[in-house]
Amino acid sequence: MKIAYSGIEGAFAYIAAKRIFPDDTLVSFDDFRSAYEAVESGICDYVVLPIENSYAGEVGQVSDLMFQGNLFLNGVYTLNIIQNLLGINGSTMHDIKRVISHPQALKQCADFLQASGYEITEAVNTARAAKQVSELGDKSIAAIASKETAELYGLTILKECINGMQDNSTRFAVLSRDENHHLFKNQKTIVIMFTVKNEAGALVKVLNKLGEFGFNMTVIRSRPLKGLAWSYYFYVEAEGEYGTAEWNQMILEMNYRCDKLKVLGRF
């Protein structure tokens, strides 16, 4: 199979995809949308995209793609993220003046960067930052990226584990054109995305249905709707049995209160 991911070899998405699909072909794309659309169009079979980091929060671009697009969520893989400061061979901590990395990585390492007083430059992803540092060959420039990336691009780890919290992990969604829940076992969490009608108490009435039918809501987030100022859609994760009579009745009653309701998938 062909597995799409955003970034280049060595990016955290690459590492996650390789662990989930160790025997399949990984295909690199420049951004989240390109990777997502490669599966929609049939170029690839699955896409692995980050949806949330335990320190920096949700990845809004991916949430928007999941809400607007046609792919199903088949599983979620959690990757422990350890960020490191990488420089070219021969450089030291005292040489560094500028640090390059993805905005999420920069957020995760904000305390370290602020204390060090480095100039900051954003990159498309951590692996591209490491590759850029390797190609520049400048002792004053470093990247924030993984240990695997340092090995891949011949960089030296100047300081390990610089992320602000040691419990730093990213959840990656596995999406495909069709539902295929054989990839992951014990899928008890269901993901629903929806917009509510513009009437008093609409959101509360929708959420109350979860408890009424025995589903335990564990996550709720809102995101602005593109093109509609001050309008939002909601992302909900809930634990419960999928496909039962109670489930079908709950979705029927929730749908009555929603302008749009999408069962994204489960994990």
Side-chain angles (χ1 to χ4, degrees):
M1 296 188 298
K2 291 183 178 180
I3 315 302
Y5 71 96
S6 175
I8 60 174
E9 189 174 356
F12 286 111
Y14 170 88
I15 295 169
K18 193 69 176 175
R19 293 184 184 178
I20 302 166
F21 300 98
D23 301 319
D24 296 300
T25 302
L26 304 190
V27 183
S28 167
F29 290 88
D30 288 338
D31 52 54
F32 298 143
R33 180 173 293 278
S34 298
Y36 188 97
E37 291 177 347
V39 177
E40 281 190 317
S41 65
I43 295 172
C44 293
D45 300 289
Y46 290 91
V47 61
V48 176
L49 294 173
I51 54 174
E52 184 180 21
N53 177 264
S54 60
Y55 185 74
E58 70 171 323
V59 183
Q61 289 175 284
V62 177
S63 294
D64 293 344
L65 285 169
M66 293 192 299
F67 181 67
Q68 297 161 359
N70 301 311
L71 301 185
F72 290 96
L73 174 72
N74 293 293
V76 170
Y77 178 83
T78 301
L79 178 69
N80 188 39
I81 303 294
I82 299 177
Q83 302 286 15
N84 307 280
L85 188 70
L86 314 179
I88 65 170
N89 291 334
S91 65
T92 67
M93 289 283 292
H94 298 293
D95 296 318
I96 304 305
K97 301 290 189 297
R98 180 160 66 101
V99 174
I100 305 171
S101 198
H102 185 271
Q104 285 273 341
L106 295 172
K107 282 184 183 178
Q108 293 162 22
C109 304
D111 291 343
F112 169 80
L113 294 171
Q114 187 173 8
S116 303
Y118 297 135
E119 178 188 345
I120 302 302
T121 301
E122 293 186 355
V124 176
N125 57 60
T126 55
R128 289 192 186 278
K131 184 179 181 182
Q132 185 178 352
V133 168
S134 178
E135 291 172 347
L136 288 171
D138 188 333
K139 286 186 177 183
S140 69
I141 303 175
I144 294 175
S146 67
K147 179 180 179 181
E148 291 90 339
T149 308
E151 295 169 354
L152 187 63
Y153 295 106
L155 298 176
T156 298
I157 299 178
L158 302 178
K159 190 172 181 61
E160 295 183 349
C161 200
I162 62 172
N163 33 280
M165 297 182 67
Q166 302 309 306
D167 182 19
N168 182 26
S169 57
T170 295
R171 299 199 303 166
F172 287 86
V174 181
L175 303 145
S176 67
R177 290 185 301 282
D178 302 307
E179 291 183 278
N180 179 6
H181 298 293
H182 301 296
L183 289 172
F184 297 84
K185 296 180 180 179
N186 302 318
Q187 295 177 313
K188 295 295 185 181
T189 300
I190 300 159
V191 180
I192 303 169
M193 307 178 84
F194 60 90
T195 59
V196 295
K197 295 180 180 179
N198 185 19
E199 58 187 39
L203 177 59
V204 173
K205 290 173 183 177
V206 171
L207 296 179
N208 280 344
K209 293 298 176 184
L210 291 166
E212 183 180 329
F213 286 91
F215 287 81
N216 177 37
M217 184 175 68
T218 55
V219 173
I220 181 169
R221 294 196 293 266
S222 65
R223 287 278 301 164
L225 279 168
K226 305 302 181 187
L228 288 173
W230 318 120
S231 296
Y232 301 85
Y233 70 85
F234 298 90
Y235 171 101
V236 165
E237 294 179 9
E239 296 173 342
E241 292 295 329
Y242 175 86
T244 62
E246 289 79 8
W247 160 260
N248 292 331
Q249 184 63 30
M250 182 187 73
I251 291 299
L252 181 67
E253 294 187 21
M254 289 177 73
N255 195 48
Y256 176 75
R257 298 288 180 184
C258 295
D259 276 333
K260 176 180 178 179
L261 187 146
K262 178 178 183 178
V263 179
L264 182 65
R266 50 198 168 112
F267 64 93

